[in-house]
Amino acid sequence: MDITASQVESIVRKILGDMSSAPAAKSGIPKTGKVAMLTSAKTIEVKEFAIPALQDDDILVKVEGCGVCGTDVHEWKVDPFGIIPVTLGHEGTGEIIAMGKNIKFDTAGNPIKVGDKIVTSVISCGECHICRNHPANTNLCDKQGVFGLIPHSDANPFTGWFATHILIRGKGATYFVVNDLDLKERMLLELACVCVHALKRANTTGLLNFNSKVLIQGLGPVGLVMISVLRAAGINHIIAIDGTPMRLEMAKKLGAKTVINFRDVPALEDRVKLVKSVANGVGADFAFQCTGAPAAAKDIYEYIRRGGGLCEMGFFVNNGEYPVNPHFAMCNKEINLVGSWDYSADDYPTTMAFLRQAREMNIPIKDLITHEFPLDQLNEAMEVNVAQKGIKICYVAK
């Protein structure tokens, strides 16, 4: 049958007309989502909001899980940042379900698309002295932001990972594709980044090598991941101090050679003798202070040899002060002291490499995750964390 040009045109017009009148294909974007909002001290409530229309630079993520950080617990208890109401959760990860047209690459320059697994990092202002003059140190940005510590806004209620969805929006937001990591590794990535950054700070002293005797004080999630990072970096003798048997056992599992329960050895003088007995008779070459307890932090100097080093990374909130005699603690020993604060976005690729290395070395870092809670049980998750009934507590979407 012969078809004329005009007939072809008529058929095409009909097809196009049918397509335009057909219902739109389902976009995969739900109309609403839920957040676990901290509405007052020790009170998290699940609330439902309409998901805002996506703008050209936005990324909408379906949350798969998020670690519960000590910072989240402090905020839940007493709101030290003064940001209630807020949807917490900054150790999160999930799958991209929609993106604005301007999103082509992640912060590391990798192609990014719907269906990718993603994590977020810091939000820097781009305008302060640090951002303009020291762009590699955006962890020190005067106006640094973090998804999960942003006060509630009706314009975008989905700013924390304790939710069914998170909408990545805002100038300075950083994010990374992490398709090759499983859910547990992704939920541990932000925490591990804190430790990778601390190792970078410690390495500025030149004191860490295969022969170093390194002490970790405090075996919460930060201290235990710090052990894992050090093992992956080739530190072979790690001394770990804590008062919880479960955490001390985990430290040994992760590679610590010497563990000391301070409850069994209550006198500081006796603990110092134990440290020296396994550290060349003089004390640790380097120490990482990972507690947020002033009473413990003041002891750290006693464990370190003359000429040794210390990285203070335990006080991410103001937990108070402790007395120290700078003559004996620092000057006479010529201690190399560095502080470590959060991380910069450029620490994330290194941290991803650490997680791959831990997997290669069979360092059982994923065993740190002992409890998983759904969205409507995050108050219970906080209580478990405060009671130290587990090690790493996580929210996992069901």
Side-chain angles (χ1 to χ4, degrees):
M1 178 178 65
D2 294 333
I3 300 178
T4 66
S6 61
Q7 288 174 316
V8 170
E9 183 179 355
S10 176
I11 292 170
V12 170
R13 288 181 181 277
K14 183 178 186 305
I15 292 172
L16 291 175
D18 291 343
M19 289 176 63
S20 64
S21 62
K26 187 176 181 180
S27 66
I29 303 177
K31 292 183 178 180
T32 64
K34 296 179 179 180
V35 302
M37 183 185 295
L38 181 67
T39 55
S40 61
K42 297 186 178 181
T43 304
I44 294 176
E45 301 178 53
V46 176
K47 294 180 176 291
E48 190 166 5
F49 295 96
I51 292 179
L54 259 67
Q55 300 175 5
D56 291 345
D57 296 301
D58 292 351
I59 301 174
L60 181 64
V61 181
K62 183 179 180 181
V63 177
E64 295 179 337
C66 182
V68 176
C69 178
T71 304
D72 296 320
V73 177
H74 283 295
E75 179 60 25
W76 176 77
K77 288 195 294 186
V78 295
D79 189 25
F81 304 113
I83 55 176
I84 287 177
V86 61
T87 298
L88 298 171
H90 55 271
E91 298 180 353
T93 183
E95 181 177 323
I96 298 173
I97 60 173
M99 301 190 311
K101 67 179 183 180
N102 293 339
I103 304 296
K104 306 294 183 184
F105 303 95
D106 73 0
T107 302
N110 299 308
I112 188 170
K113 64 185 185 303
V114 170
D116 282 338
K117 308 298 185 181
I118 193 173
V119 295
T120 50
S121 184
V122 292
I123 307 168
S124 53
C125 74
E127 299 173 353
C128 69
H129 175 80
I130 290 292
C131 287
R132 290 185 179 277
N133 296 282
H134 305 279
N137 300 112
T138 51
N139 61 309
L140 302 179
C141 167
D142 290 339
K143 301 177 182 177
Q144 183 197 67
V146 178
F147 289 104
L149 292 173
I150 299 172
H152 173 75
S153 166
D154 287 336
N156 177 18
F158 300 93
T159 56
W161 286 95
F162 289 171
T164 58
H165 299 80
I166 185 169
L167 181 57
I168 301 171
R169 169 182 288 173
K171 179 182 176 183
T174 54
Y175 41 85
F176 297 87
V177 173
V178 285
N179 291 334
D180 67 322
L181 302 178
D182 65 30
L183 178 58
K184 287 188 176 182
E185 289 169 329
R186 287 184 274 133
M187 290 192 296
L188 290 168
L189 198 158
E190 194 272 351
L191 169 59
C193 201
V194 170
C195 298
V196 166
H197 182 79
L199 178 60
K200 182 169 73 174
R201 294 286 294 136
N203 279 332
T204 64
T205 68
L207 290 167
L208 293 174
N209 55 59
F210 290 113
N211 199 39
S212 301
K213 307 294 190 300
V214 178
L215 183 139
I216 306 291
Q217 183 182 41
L219 300 179
V222 170
L224 290 168
V225 174
M226 197 69 237
I227 290 174
S228 305
V229 169
L230 290 168
R231 287 291 297 116
I235 302 299
N236 295 309
H237 196 136
I238 297 170
I239 305 158
I241 300 178
D242 198 86
T244 304
M246 176 177 60
R247 292 180 172 185
L248 291 162
E249 285 300 315
M250 181 59 72
K252 288 192 288 186
K253 190 174 181 180
L254 293 169
K257 281 193 175 179
T258 302
V259 297
I260 299 172
N261 189 328
F262 67 77
R263 300 186 194 281
D264 295 337
V265 190
L268 174 60
E269 181 181 356
D270 293 334
R271 295 198 298 274
V272 170
K273 288 179 181 178
L274 284 176
V275 171
K276 289 183 176 180
S277 71
V278 296
N280 304 316
V282 293
D285 297 299
F286 201 93
F288 290 85
Q289 204 298 114
C290 302
T291 78
K298 71 178 179 61
D299 296 343
I300 194 77
Y301 303 94
E302 301 295 323
Y303 301 123
I304 304 168
R305 68 167 174 85
R306 297 186 77 184
L310 166 63
C311 179
E312 173 55 68
M313 57 181 299
F315 290 87
F316 286 102
V317 296
N318 181 2
N319 280 343
E321 303 174 356
Y322 59 83
V324 61
N325 186 317
H327 169 71
F328 291 109
M330 303 172 198
C331 292
N332 181 263
K333 282 188 170 184
E334 203 166 86
I335 292 292
N336 296 268
L337 172 62
V338 295
S340 184
W341 178 253
D342 286 353
Y343 44 77
S344 295
D346 64 354
D347 291 315
Y348 262 62
T350 306
T351 306
M352 295 174 212
F354 153 68
L355 288 167
R356 299 181 193 110
Q357 179 71 5
R359 187 194 304 164
E360 184 74 17
M361 294 176 64
N362 294 317
I363 299 173
I365 186 171
K366 292 190 287 187
D367 290 354
L368 292 175
I369 297 176
T370 56
H371 293 72
E372 297 178 356
F373 290 87
L375 193 66
D376 60 356
Q377 293 180 20
L378 281 174
N379 284 302
E380 291 90 332
M382 296 292 179
E383 296 284 3
V384 169
N385 195 308
V386 170
Q388 296 188 4
K389 294 179 180 178
I391 296 177
K392 187 61 183 175
I393 316 300
C394 293
Y395 151 54
V396 174
K398 301 298 183 182

